[in-house]
Amino acid sequence: VEFTKLAADPSVVNLGQGLPDISPPSYVKEELAKAAAVDRLNQYTRGFGHLSLVKALSQVYERVCGRKIDPLTDILVTVGAYGSLFSVIQALIEEGDEVIIIEPSYDCYEPMVKMAGAKPVFIPLRHKNDGKSASSADWALDPAELANKFNSKTKAIILNNPHNPIGKVFTKEELQIIADLCIKHDTLCISDEVYEWLVYKGNKHTKIATLPGMWERTVTIGSAGKTYSVTGWKLGWSIGPQNLIKHLQVVHQNTLYMCPTPLQEALAQAFWIDYKRMDDPDCYFYSLSRELESKRDRMARLLQEAGLKPIIPDGGYFMIVDVSTLKADLSDVDEKQPYDYKFVKWMIASKKLSAIPLSAFCGPETKRQFEKYIRFCFIKKDSTLDAAEVILKNWSKETA
Amino acid sequence: RTHFLSLSLQAKMSRPVQARRLEGIDKNIWVDFVKLAATYAKVNLGQGFPDFPPPDFLKEAFVRSLSGQNHMLHQYTRAFGHPPLVKILAQFFGKLLGRDLDPMTDVMVTVGAYQALFCCFQAFVDEGDEVIIIEPFFDCYEPMVKMAGGTPVFVPLRPKAPKDGKLMSSADWQLDPAELTSKFSKRTKAIVLNSPNNPLGKVFSRGELELIADLCVKHDVLCISDEVYEWLVYDGKEHVRIASLPGMWDRTVIIGSAGKTFSATGWKVGWTVGPSRLLQHLHTVHQNSVYHCATVAQEVVAQGFQRELELYGKPESYFIQLPKELQQKRDWLVQSLDAVGMKPIVPEGTYFLVADISEFKSDVPDVPNSDEPYDSRFAKWMVKNKGLAAIPLSAFYSGPHKNNYNHFIRFCFAKEDATLKAANDILQKWKREKSSP
């Protein structure tokens, strides 16, 4: 909320908040116009998810997961993936529980776990190459450290794959380590996979729920906002076994009851269009990923030319950047804040470019580890990236 | 594969997987009755939604917004409410309340009035707190209070016999002042007021609201005022906003709904209006549960309100036309039910009507010692055998009180004339079948 206000100045090139400024595909917008024109679709629909949407979701994910998914009992449609996170945590987590959160983490996990009365237990991703990391793949969990975090109170682990902010795509082996611990300690897995389609060349997204023993203990979360570049539709979903999803449905019927009908219908139609071409490279799930990969590469090049050190993400639409190499003069910015906060404020004011400081994604114990990084969002149209390019080229001229 | 399970792991595996806050709140009548209606109903007067479309000006606003150049309408907007919407709501309700409202702090947009209620209970109710709920009540209040760890305390509206020869009115259902007073205790955190009231259609009078207000002020209690049907009042009645009474603005959160205001229940846009000292806590719940509401729906509702602000008080105002139309439908359904022996309670507001079905008991005999309230069995029988869907009044009572008023069912009359006529045909045929040997 804080940084959104600062970056709202229209003269600032906003690469901070994870918000596409590219247009959603035209058929997605057309389906919404069509849906809103149908009288019945302006009234209440099924609480746990509009029928045509849950059916479409079950088809798409049956294909991806290789297992039967019942649209009525195994799926809940929520107000964004955010709403799914809230529903699963309220449904399954309570006082006395511990929940493992991997840092840096999307900032809502911790307050949601606390709101449920439980204790967050943090574990950081650590870079493997002694600071010489250049890729998100260089960051990993220490298996022994992870094993130590599990105990009889551990109710769940929250996994974000592909990972925001680092962009890491967990390998099957890394997921197996997590899965083994979940099974050993009878722990649930809340798998936030909103960036599941945004995986770049040489990488494969594996759903932890498809590993042996994991379907029955995993709730997998997805997002229309990230899938179709419509963050303002606020539609997400939770998929999992009936014996877990039924509790999320109880939370849902006692919190907001239902998501908007016309948006769900439009999303269903968009899913049918892409479901039919899941074998075709033109399917939006793959074409968006290709589009973003070239933006990623362009962004990385510009940052490197400006003397900054980007960590190339294997997935997602964020890139973290080591800014300590610049040794910028931040003496007139507020002393008490972490380095990256000061850097971003200085960058917004003097360079008219915004980003998010990485320590915003960290608890107090890990802030020091990550305070030399800031996060850029690259799901931006060419003119935005052009404006960023101008700033970054001038920047490197100044430091040269 | 065998391995020794530690005692603590065994203990963990034998506990239920779900959190204790879900205890006692897993049943939901709508899930059941919506399914029944979908399967059996030829005429659905059950769940409260219009079967006529939203007004043309709103549909046009939607088309305009989508066809415009601004594709940022498909991205996140301000978390606590899309600026054009909170601004117009602040203007509109400021005018109605005679106050200067700050759109950024005194208004918050929610995913329907339902989520506004959720935010209020989560923000204000703690374990040990009591919340007074007036029966019959919109069914979600009770589980929401419980989920927040609070204790619901019920006080009933009691029917007075109508004057000789007249039909009962929702105005004949009243609170007993002494009984209401006795419900307020040191532990009372809030009272939920729903006026106009769903299911009865009661529009609380100024005098009745003053009684409630006095008790709130005396006991320093918050008022959660669910006013979603604020525009649907009939016979020239006035909808009095309790927040406008002395001492009440500072302790009241007003809840409204675009779904009910603009006949678009599927959009799920609601709002809260109140002092920032209360709304700041709703912000906290909101930003930790849904964070943002859908942008395009908010944009369109803002345009709807803009039009209504310009036409306020004029005959073309939707807020004048809609209640006028609905009053006619109300009167039609009242006649329809009265003619066949179901005794309607004429509602002063909302688009619901409750009718006494005692005379139809011969079709659905009482089952002594049944767990299910009579009206619920009746409503299920009626939808399966007559194809007419309605909701049993007991659905709007707390568990122990479900049999207090178990011979009433609720009809929704926000329906096209053709639907109401079809309902009438079913009722007339039913009556004929009863009279013939």
Side-chain angles (χ1 to χ4, degrees), chain A residues 19-21 39 42-44 82 86 90-91 93-94 111-112 116 152 154-155 184-186 226 229-234 247 253-258 260-261, chain B residues 9 12-13 17-21 25-26 28 30 48 50 53 59 71 74-76 114-115 118 143 260 263-268 287-288 290 292 294-295:
Chain A
L19 174 69
D21 68 3
D39 291 344
N42 286 285
Q43 307 303 338
Y44 290 136
Y82 212 95
F86 182 74
Q90 284 287 312
I93 308 294
E94 60 184 346
M112 283 190 182
S152 59
T154 311
K155 188 71 187 280
K184 178 174 176 187
H185 295 271
D186 191 29
K226 310 297 191 273
S229 311
V230 287
T231 59
W233 286 28
K234 287 294 294 191
H247 301 301
Q253 83 197 20
N254 287 298
T255 52
L256 49 93
Y257 196 78
M258 195 196 96
T261 314
Chain B
L9 186 57
K12 184 185 192 183
M13 288 171 85
V17 69
Q18 74 274 21
R20 276 159 298 181
R21 68 179 64 83
I25 65 169
D26 50 319
N28 183 284
W30 302 109
K59 297 205 287 188
H71 63 249
H74 297 284
Q75 307 308 334
Y76 293 130
Y114 212 97
Q115 195 231 337
F118 176 73
K260 311 294 191 279
S263 310
T265 59
W267 291 15
K268 294 292 288 185
Q287 80 196 25
N288 285 301
V290 309
H292 299 90
T295 312

Coordinates of all heavy atoms in Angstrom, one line a residue, chain A residues 19-21 39 42-44 82 86 90-91 93-94 111-112 116 152 154-155 184-186 226 229-234 247 253-258 260-261, chain B residues 9 12-13 17-21 25-26 28 30 48 50 53 59 71 74-76 114-115 118 143 260 263-268 287-288 290 292 294-295:
Chain A
L19 N 1.6 -5.6 -11.7 CA 0.4 -5.2 -12.3 C 0.8 -5.1 -13.8 O 1.6 -4.4 -14.2 CB 0.1 -3.9 -11.8 CG -1.0 -3.0 -12.3 CD1 -2.3 -3.5 -11.9 CD2 -0.9 -1.6 -11.5
P20 N 0.1 -5.9 -14.7 CA 0.4 -5.8 -16.1 C -0.1 -4.5 -16.6 O -1.2 -4.0 -16.2 CB -0.4 -7.0 -16.7 CG -0.9 -7.8 -15.6 CD -0.9 -7.0 -14.4
D21 N 0.7 -3.8 -17.5 CA 0.1 -2.7 -18.2 C -0.1 -3.1 -19.7 O -0.5 -2.3 -20.5 CB 0.8 -1.4 -18.0 CG 2.2 -1.3 -18.7 OD1 2.5 -2.3 -19.4 OD2 2.9 -0.3 -18.5
D39 N -29.0 -11.4 -19.4 CA -29.7 -11.0 -18.1 C -29.4 -11.9 -16.9 O -29.0 -11.4 -15.9 CB -31.2 -10.9 -18.3 CG -31.6 -9.8 -19.3 OD1 -30.8 -8.9 -19.5 OD2 -32.7 -9.8 -19.8
N42 N -26.3 -11.6 -14.7 CA -26.1 -10.5 -13.8 C -26.7 -10.7 -12.4 O -26.6 -9.9 -11.6 CB -26.8 -9.2 -14.4 CG -26.0 -8.6 -15.6 OD1 -25.0 -8.0 -15.4 ND2 -26.5 -8.9 -16.8
Q43 N -27.1 -12.0 -12.2 CA -27.7 -12.3 -10.9 C -26.8 -13.5 -10.3 O -25.9 -13.9 -10.9 CB -29.1 -12.8 -11.1 CG -30.0 -11.8 -11.8 CD -30.1 -10.4 -11.2 OE1 -29.8 -10.2 -10.0 NE2 -30.4 -9.4 -12.0
Y44 N -27.2 -13.9 -9.1 CA -26.5 -14.9 -8.3 C -26.2 -16.1 -9.1 O -27.0 -16.5 -10.0 CB -27.3 -15.3 -7.1 CG -27.5 -14.3 -6.0 CD1 -28.7 -14.1 -5.4 CD2 -26.4 -13.6 -5.5 CE1 -28.9 -13.2 -4.4 CE2 -26.6 -12.7 -4.5 CZ -27.8 -12.5 -3.9 OH -28.0 -11.6 -2.9
Y82 N -5.6 -14.5 -3.7 CA -5.6 -13.9 -2.4 C -6.7 -14.5 -1.5 O -6.5 -14.9 -0.4 CB -5.8 -12.4 -2.5 CG -5.1 -11.6 -1.5 CD1 -3.8 -11.0 -1.7 CD2 -5.7 -11.2 -0.2 CE1 -3.2 -10.2 -0.8 CE2 -5.0 -10.4 0.7 CZ -3.8 -9.9 0.4 OH -3.2 -9.1 1.3
F86 N -6.6 -16.9 1.8 CA -7.4 -16.6 3.0 C -8.3 -17.8 3.4 O -8.4 -18.2 4.6 CB -8.2 -15.4 2.8 CG -9.0 -15.0 4.1 CD1 -8.4 -14.4 5.2 CD2 -10.4 -15.2 4.1 CE1 -9.1 -14.1 6.3 CE2 -11.1 -14.8 5.2 CZ -10.5 -14.3 6.3
Q90 N -7.9 -19.9 6.9 CA -9.0 -19.9 7.8 C -9.6 -21.3 8.0 O -10.1 -21.6 9.1 CB -10.1 -18.9 7.4 CG -9.7 -17.4 7.5 CD -9.7 -17.0 9.0 OE1 -10.7 -17.2 9.7 NE2 -8.7 -16.3 9.5
A91 N -9.6 -22.1 7.0 CA -10.3 -23.4 7.0 C -9.5 -24.4 7.8 O -10.0 -25.2 8.5 CB -10.5 -23.9 5.6
I93 N -6.1 -23.8 9.5 CA -5.1 -23.4 10.4 C -5.7 -22.7 11.6 O -6.6 -21.9 11.5 CB -4.1 -22.4 9.7 CG1 -3.6 -22.9 8.3 CG2 -3.0 -22.0 10.6 CD1 -2.7 -24.1 8.4
E94 N -5.1 -23.0 12.8 CA -5.7 -22.3 14.0 C -4.6 -22.2 15.1 O -3.4 -22.6 14.9 CB -6.8 -23.1 14.5 CG -6.5 -24.6 14.9 CD -7.8 -25.3 15.3 OE1 -8.8 -24.7 15.6 OE2 -7.7 -26.5 15.4
P111 N 0.7 -12.2 7.7 CA -0.4 -11.7 8.5 C -1.6 -12.7 8.4 O -2.4 -12.8 9.4 CB -0.7 -10.4 7.8 CG 0.1 -10.3 6.5 CD 1.2 -11.3 6.7
M112 N -1.8 -13.4 7.3 CA -2.9 -14.3 7.3 C -2.8 -15.5 8.3 O -3.7 -15.9 8.9 CB -3.1 -14.9 5.8 CG -3.7 -13.9 4.9 SD -4.1 -14.8 3.3 CE -4.8 -13.4 2.3
A116 N -5.1 -16.2 11.7 CA -5.7 -17.5 12.1 C -5.2 -18.0 13.4 O -5.6 -19.0 13.9 CB -5.4 -18.5 11.0
S152 N 5.9 -31.6 15.4 CA 4.5 -32.1 15.5 C 3.5 -31.0 15.4 O 2.3 -31.3 15.2 CB 4.4 -32.9 16.8 OG 4.6 -32.1 17.9
T154 N 3.6 -28.6 13.2 CA 3.6 -28.0 11.9 C 2.4 -28.5 11.1 O 2.2 -29.6 10.8 CB 4.9 -28.4 11.1 OG1 6.0 -28.2 11.9 CG2 4.9 -27.7 9.8
K155 N 1.4 -27.6 10.9 CA 0.2 -27.9 10.3 C 0.3 -27.8 8.8 O -0.3 -28.6 8.0 CB -0.9 -27.0 10.7 CG -2.3 -27.4 10.2 CD -2.8 -28.6 11.0 CE -4.1 -29.1 10.4 NZ -5.3 -28.4 10.9
K184 N 6.1 -37.4 6.0 CA 6.7 -37.8 7.3 C 6.0 -37.2 8.5 O 5.7 -37.9 9.5 CB 8.2 -37.5 7.3 CG 8.9 -37.9 8.6 CD 10.4 -37.7 8.5 CE 11.0 -38.0 9.8 NZ 12.5 -37.7 9.8
H185 N 5.7 -35.9 8.4 CA 5.1 -35.2 9.5 C 3.6 -35.0 9.4 O 3.0 -34.2 10.2 CB 5.8 -33.8 9.7 CG 7.3 -34.0 10.1 ND1 7.7 -34.1 11.4 CD2 8.4 -34.1 9.3 CE1 9.0 -34.2 11.4 NE2 9.5 -34.2 10.2
D186 N 3.0 -35.6 8.4 CA 1.6 -35.4 8.2 C 1.2 -34.0 8.1 O 0.3 -33.5 8.8 CB 0.7 -36.1 9.3 CG -0.7 -36.2 8.9 OD1 -1.0 -36.2 7.7 OD2 -1.6 -36.2 9.8
K226 N -3.3 -13.7 -13.1 CA -1.9 -13.9 -13.7 C -2.0 -14.8 -15.0 O -1.2 -14.6 -15.8 CB -1.1 -14.7 -12.6 CG -1.1 -14.1 -11.3 CD -0.5 -12.7 -11.2 CE -0.2 -12.2 -9.8 NZ -1.4 -11.5 -9.3
S229 N -3.8 -12.0 -17.5 CA -3.4 -10.6 -17.4 C -4.6 -9.8 -17.1 O -4.8 -8.7 -17.7 CB -2.7 -10.1 -18.7 OG -1.7 -11.0 -19.1
V230 N -5.5 -10.3 -16.2 CA -6.7 -9.5 -15.7 C -6.7 -9.5 -14.2 O -7.6 -10.0 -13.6 CB -8.0 -10.1 -16.3 CG1 -8.1 -9.9 -17.8 CG2 -8.1 -11.6 -16.0
T231 N -5.7 -8.8 -13.6 CA -5.6 -8.8 -12.2 C -6.8 -8.2 -11.6 O -7.2 -8.5 -10.4 CB -4.3 -8.1 -11.7 OG1 -4.4 -6.7 -12.2 CG2 -3.1 -8.8 -12.1
G232 N -7.5 -7.3 -12.3 CA -8.7 -6.6 -11.8 C -9.9 -7.4 -11.8 O -11.0 -6.9 -11.4
W233 N -9.9 -8.6 -12.3 CA -11.1 -9.5 -12.3 C -11.2 -10.1 -10.9 O -12.2 -10.6 -10.5 CB -11.0 -10.5 -13.4 CG -11.3 -10.0 -14.7 CD1 -11.1 -8.7 -15.2 CD2 -11.8 -10.7 -15.8 NE1 -11.4 -8.6 -16.5 CE2 -11.9 -9.8 -16.9 CE3 -12.3 -12.0 -16.0 CZ2 -12.4 -10.2 -18.2 CZ3 -12.8 -12.4 -17.3 CH2 -12.8 -11.5 -18.3
K234 N -10.0 -10.2 -10.2 CA -10.0 -10.9 -8.9 C -10.8 -12.2 -8.9 O -11.8 -12.4 -8.2 CB -10.6 -9.9 -7.8 CG -9.7 -8.7 -7.5 CD -8.4 -9.1 -6.8 CE -8.7 -9.7 -5.4 NZ -7.4 -9.8 -4.7
H247 N -13.9 -27.8 3.5 CA -13.7 -26.9 4.6 C -13.5 -25.5 4.1 O -14.0 -24.5 4.7 CB -12.6 -27.3 5.5 CG -12.8 -28.7 6.1 ND1 -13.9 -29.0 6.9 CD2 -12.1 -29.8 6.0 CE1 -13.9 -30.3 7.2 NE2 -12.8 -30.8 6.7
Q253 N -18.7 -19.8 2.3 CA -20.1 -19.5 2.4 C -20.4 -18.7 3.7 O -21.4 -18.1 3.8 CB -20.9 -20.8 2.5 CG -21.0 -21.5 3.9 CD -21.4 -23.0 3.8 OE1 -21.4 -23.6 2.8 NE2 -21.8 -23.5 4.9
N254 N -19.4 -18.5 4.5 CA -19.5 -17.6 5.7 C -18.7 -16.3 5.6 O -18.6 -15.6 6.6 CB -19.1 -18.4 6.9 CG -20.1 -19.4 7.3 OD1 -21.3 -19.1 7.6 ND2 -19.8 -20.7 7.3
T255 N -18.1 -16.1 4.4 CA -17.3 -14.9 4.3 C -17.9 -14.0 3.1 O -18.2 -12.8 3.4 CB -15.8 -15.1 4.1 OG1 -15.7 -16.1 3.0 CG2 -15.2 -15.7 5.3
L256 N -17.9 -14.5 1.9 CA -18.5 -13.7 0.9 C -19.5 -14.4 0.0 O -20.2 -13.8 -0.8 CB -17.4 -13.0 0.0 CG -16.3 -13.8 -0.5 CD1 -16.6 -14.3 -1.9 CD2 -15.0 -13.0 -0.6
Y257 N -19.7 -15.7 0.2 CA -20.7 -16.5 -0.4 C -20.4 -16.8 -1.9 O -20.5 -18.0 -2.3 CB -22.1 -16.0 -0.2 CG -23.1 -17.1 -0.5 CD1 -23.4 -18.0 0.4 CD2 -23.7 -17.1 -1.8 CE1 -24.3 -19.1 0.1 CE2 -24.6 -18.2 -2.1 CZ -24.9 -19.1 -1.1 OH -25.7 -20.1 -1.4
M258 N -20.1 -15.8 -2.7 CA -20.1 -16.0 -4.1 C -19.2 -15.0 -4.8 O -19.1 -13.9 -4.3 CB -21.5 -15.8 -4.6 CG -21.9 -16.2 -5.9 SD -23.5 -15.4 -6.3 CE -22.8 -14.0 -7.3
P260 N -18.4 -12.7 -8.5 CA -19.2 -12.1 -9.5 C -19.5 -13.1 -10.7 O -18.6 -13.7 -11.2 CB -18.4 -10.9 -10.0 CG -17.5 -10.6 -8.8 CD -17.2 -11.9 -8.2
T261 N -20.7 -13.1 -11.1 CA -21.2 -14.1 -12.1 C -20.6 -13.8 -13.5 O -20.0 -14.7 -14.2 CB -22.7 -14.1 -12.2 OG1 -23.2 -14.2 -10.9 CG2 -23.2 -15.3 -13.0
Chain B
L9 N 2.6 -37.5 16.6 CA 2.2 -37.6 15.3 C 0.8 -38.3 15.2 O -0.1 -37.9 14.5 CB 3.2 -38.3 14.4 CG 2.8 -38.3 12.9 CD1 2.6 -36.9 12.3 CD2 3.9 -39.0 12.1
K12 N -1.7 -35.9 16.3 CA -2.0 -35.0 15.2 C -2.9 -35.6 14.2 O -3.9 -35.0 13.7 CB -0.7 -34.6 14.6 CG -0.8 -33.5 13.5 CD 0.6 -33.3 12.9 CE 0.6 -32.1 12.0 NZ 1.9 -32.0 11.4
M13 N -2.6 -36.9 13.8 CA -3.4 -37.5 12.7 C -4.8 -37.8 13.2 O -5.7 -38.0 12.3 CB -2.7 -38.8 12.2 CG -1.5 -38.4 11.4 SD -0.4 -39.9 11.0 CE -1.3 -40.5 9.6
V17 N -8.9 -32.3 10.6 CA -8.0 -31.4 9.8 C -8.4 -30.0 9.8 O -7.6 -29.1 9.7 CB -7.9 -31.9 8.4 CG1 -9.2 -31.7 7.6 CG2 -6.7 -31.3 7.6
Q18 N -9.7 -29.7 10.0 CA -10.2 -28.4 9.9 C -10.1 -27.6 11.2 O -10.1 -28.2 12.3 CB -11.7 -28.3 9.4 CG -12.7 -28.7 10.4 CD -13.0 -30.2 10.5 OE1 -12.1 -31.0 10.1 NE2 -14.1 -30.6 11.0
A19 N -10.1 -26.3 11.1 CA -10.0 -25.4 12.3 C -11.3 -25.4 13.1 O -12.4 -25.6 12.5 CB -9.6 -24.0 11.8
R20 N -11.2 -25.2 14.4 CA -12.3 -25.2 15.3 C -13.3 -24.1 15.0 O -14.5 -24.2 15.3 CB -11.9 -25.1 16.7 CG -11.5 -26.5 17.3 CD -10.7 -26.4 18.5 NE -9.4 -25.7 18.2 CZ -8.4 -25.5 19.1 NH1 -8.6 -25.9 20.4 NH2 -7.3 -24.9 18.7
R21 N -12.8 -23.0 14.3 CA -13.7 -21.9 14.1 C -14.8 -22.3 13.1 O -15.8 -21.6 13.0 CB -12.9 -20.7 13.5 CG -12.4 -20.9 12.1 CD -11.7 -19.6 11.7 NE -10.5 -19.2 12.5 CZ -9.3 -19.8 12.3 NH1 -9.1 -20.6 11.4 NH2 -8.3 -19.4 13.1
I25 N -20.9 -24.2 11.9 CA -21.2 -23.2 10.8 C -21.2 -23.8 9.4 O -21.2 -23.1 8.4 CB -20.4 -21.9 10.9 CG1 -18.9 -22.2 10.6 CG2 -20.5 -21.2 12.2 CD1 -18.1 -20.9 10.3
D26 N -21.1 -25.2 9.4 CA -20.9 -25.8 8.1 C -22.3 -25.9 7.3 O -22.2 -26.0 6.1 CB -20.2 -27.1 8.2 CG -20.9 -28.0 9.3 OD1 -21.3 -27.5 10.3 OD2 -21.0 -29.2 9.0
N28 N -25.7 -24.7 5.5 CA -26.1 -23.5 4.9 C -27.4 -23.8 4.1 O -27.3 -24.6 3.2 CB -25.0 -22.9 4.0 CG -25.4 -21.6 3.4 OD1 -26.2 -21.6 2.4 ND2 -24.8 -20.5 3.9
W30 N -28.9 -22.1 1.9 CA -29.0 -21.7 0.5 C -28.4 -22.8 -0.4 O -28.9 -23.1 -1.5 CB -28.2 -20.4 0.3 CG -28.8 -19.4 1.1 CD1 -28.3 -18.8 2.2 CD2 -30.2 -18.8 1.0 NE1 -29.2 -17.9 2.8 CE2 -30.3 -17.9 2.1 CE3 -31.2 -19.0 0.1 CZ2 -31.5 -17.2 2.2 CZ3 -32.4 -18.3 0.3 CH2 -32.5 -17.4 1.3
G48 N -33.5 -14.8 -3.1 CA -33.8 -13.4 -3.4 C -33.0 -12.8 -4.5 O -32.0 -12.1 -4.2
P50 N -33.6 -10.8 -8.6 CA -34.6 -10.4 -9.6 C -34.5 -11.4 -10.8 O -33.4 -11.8 -11.1 CB -34.2 -9.0 -10.0 CG -33.2 -8.6 -9.1 CD -32.6 -9.8 -8.5
P53 N -33.9 -8.0 -15.8 CA -32.6 -7.5 -16.0 C -32.3 -6.2 -15.2 O -33.2 -5.5 -14.8 CB -32.4 -7.2 -17.5 CG -33.8 -7.0 -17.9 CD -34.7 -7.8 -17.0
K59 N -26.5 -1.4 -18.0 CA -25.9 -2.3 -19.0 C -25.1 -1.4 -20.0 O -24.1 -1.9 -20.5 CB -27.1 -3.1 -19.7 CG -27.8 -4.0 -18.7 CD -28.4 -5.2 -19.4 CE -29.7 -4.8 -20.1 NZ -30.4 -6.0 -20.6
H71 N -7.7 -0.2 -20.9 CA -7.7 -1.6 -20.5 C -7.2 -1.8 -19.1 O -7.2 -2.9 -18.6 CB -6.9 -2.4 -21.6 CG -5.5 -2.0 -21.7 ND1 -5.0 -1.4 -22.8 CD2 -4.4 -2.2 -20.8 CE1 -3.7 -1.2 -22.6 NE2 -3.3 -1.6 -21.4
H74 N -9.1 -3.7 -16.4 CA -8.9 -5.1 -16.2 C -7.8 -5.4 -15.2 O -7.5 -6.5 -14.9 CB -8.7 -5.8 -17.5 CG -9.8 -5.7 -18.5 ND1 -10.9 -6.4 -18.3 CD2 -9.9 -4.9 -19.6 CE1 -11.8 -6.1 -19.3 NE2 -11.2 -5.2 -20.1
Q75 N -7.2 -4.3 -14.6 CA -6.2 -4.5 -13.6 C -6.6 -4.0 -12.2 O -7.7 -3.4 -12.1 CB -4.9 -3.8 -14.0 CG -4.4 -4.2 -15.5 CD -4.3 -5.7 -15.7 OE1 -4.1 -6.5 -14.8 NE2 -4.4 -6.0 -17.0
Y76 N -5.8 -4.3 -11.2 CA -6.1 -3.9 -9.9 C -6.4 -2.4 -9.8 O -5.9 -1.6 -10.5 CB -4.9 -4.1 -9.0 CG -4.4 -5.5 -8.7 CD1 -3.1 -5.8 -8.9 CD2 -5.3 -6.5 -8.2 CE1 -2.6 -7.1 -8.6 CE2 -4.8 -7.8 -8.0 CZ -3.5 -8.1 -8.2 OH -3.0 -9.3 -7.9
Y114 N -22.4 -9.0 1.8 CA -22.0 -10.2 2.5 C -20.6 -10.0 3.1 O -20.4 -10.3 4.3 CB -22.1 -11.4 1.6 CG -22.5 -12.7 2.2 CD1 -23.8 -13.2 2.2 CD2 -21.5 -13.5 2.8 CE1 -24.1 -14.4 2.7 CE2 -21.9 -14.8 3.3 CZ -23.2 -15.2 3.3 OH -23.5 -16.4 3.8
Q115 N -19.7 -9.6 2.2 CA -18.3 -9.5 2.7 C -18.2 -8.3 3.7 O -17.3 -8.3 4.6 CB -17.3 -9.3 1.6 CG -15.9 -9.5 2.0 CD -14.9 -8.4 1.5 OE1 -15.2 -7.7 0.6 NE2 -13.8 -8.3 2.2
F118 N -19.0 -9.7 7.0 CA -17.9 -10.4 7.4 C -16.8 -9.5 8.0 O -16.3 -9.8 9.1 CB -17.3 -11.3 6.3 CG -16.1 -12.1 6.7 CD1 -16.2 -13.2 7.5 CD2 -14.8 -11.7 6.3 CE1 -15.1 -13.9 8.0 CE2 -13.7 -12.4 6.7 CZ -13.8 -13.5 7.5
P143 N -23.8 -17.5 11.9 CA -22.5 -18.2 11.8 C -21.3 -17.2 11.7 O -20.2 -17.5 12.2 CB -22.6 -18.9 10.4 CG -23.8 -18.4 9.8 CD -24.7 -17.8 10.8
K260 N -28.7 -5.2 -4.7 CA -30.1 -4.8 -4.4 C -30.5 -3.5 -5.0 O -31.6 -3.3 -5.4 CB -30.3 -4.9 -2.9 CG -29.8 -6.1 -2.2 CD -30.6 -7.3 -2.7 CE -30.2 -8.5 -1.8 NZ -29.0 -9.2 -2.1
S263 N -30.5 -4.0 -9.0 CA -31.0 -5.3 -9.5 C -29.9 -6.1 -10.3 O -30.1 -6.6 -11.4 CB -32.2 -5.0 -10.5 OG -33.1 -4.2 -9.8
A264 N -28.7 -6.1 -9.7 CA -27.6 -6.8 -10.3 C -26.9 -7.7 -9.2 O -25.7 -7.4 -9.0 CB -26.7 -5.8 -11.0
T265 N -27.6 -8.6 -8.7 CA -27.0 -9.4 -7.5 C -25.7 -10.1 -7.9 O -24.9 -10.5 -7.1 CB -28.0 -10.4 -7.0 OG1 -28.4 -11.3 -8.0 CG2 -29.3 -9.7 -6.4
G266 N -25.5 -10.4 -9.2 CA -24.4 -11.2 -9.6 C -23.1 -10.4 -9.7 O -22.0 -11.0 -9.9
W267 N -23.1 -9.1 -9.4 CA -21.9 -8.3 -9.5 C -21.1 -8.3 -8.2 O -19.9 -8.0 -8.2 CB -22.2 -6.9 -9.9 CG -22.7 -6.8 -11.3 CD1 -23.1 -7.8 -12.2 CD2 -22.8 -5.6 -12.1 NE1 -23.5 -7.3 -13.4 CE2 -23.3 -6.0 -13.4 CE3 -22.5 -4.3 -11.9 CZ2 -23.5 -5.0 -14.4 CZ3 -22.7 -3.3 -12.9 CH2 -23.2 -3.7 -14.1
K268 N -21.8 -8.5 -7.1 CA -21.1 -8.6 -5.8 C -20.3 -7.3 -5.6 O -19.0 -7.4 -5.4 CB -20.2 -9.8 -5.7 CG -21.0 -11.1 -5.7 CD -21.9 -11.3 -4.5 CE -21.0 -11.7 -3.3 NZ -21.8 -12.0 -2.1
Q287 N -7.8 -6.0 3.9 CA -6.5 -6.2 3.2 C -5.9 -7.5 3.5 O -4.9 -7.9 2.9 CB -5.6 -5.0 3.5 CG -4.9 -5.1 4.9 CD -4.3 -3.7 5.3 OE1 -4.8 -2.7 4.8 NE2 -3.3 -3.8 6.1
N288 N -6.4 -8.2 4.5 CA -5.9 -9.5 4.8 C -6.8 -10.6 4.4 O -6.6 -11.8 4.8 CB -5.6 -9.6 6.3 CG -4.3 -8.8 6.7 OD1 -3.3 -9.1 6.2 ND2 -4.5 -7.8 7.6
V290 N -9.4 -10.3 1.2 CA -9.5 -10.2 -0.3 C -8.7 -9.1 -0.9 O -8.3 -9.3 -2.1 CB -11.0 -10.1 -0.8 CG1 -11.9 -11.1 -0.2 CG2 -11.6 -8.7 -0.6
H292 N -8.4 -6.6 -2.9 CA -9.1 -5.8 -3.9 C -10.4 -6.4 -4.3 O -10.6 -7.6 -4.2 CB -8.3 -5.7 -5.2 CG -6.9 -5.2 -5.0 ND1 -5.8 -5.9 -4.7 CD2 -6.5 -3.9 -5.1 CE1 -4.7 -5.2 -4.7 NE2 -5.1 -3.9 -4.9
A294 N -13.2 -6.5 -7.7 CA -13.1 -6.4 -9.1 C -13.3 -5.0 -9.6 O -14.3 -4.3 -9.2 CB -14.2 -7.3 -9.8
T295 N -12.5 -4.5 -10.5 CA -12.4 -3.1 -10.9 C -13.6 -2.7 -11.8 O -14.3 -1.7 -11.5 CB -11.1 -2.8 -11.7 OG1 -10.0 -3.3 -11.0 CG2 -10.9 -1.4 -12.0

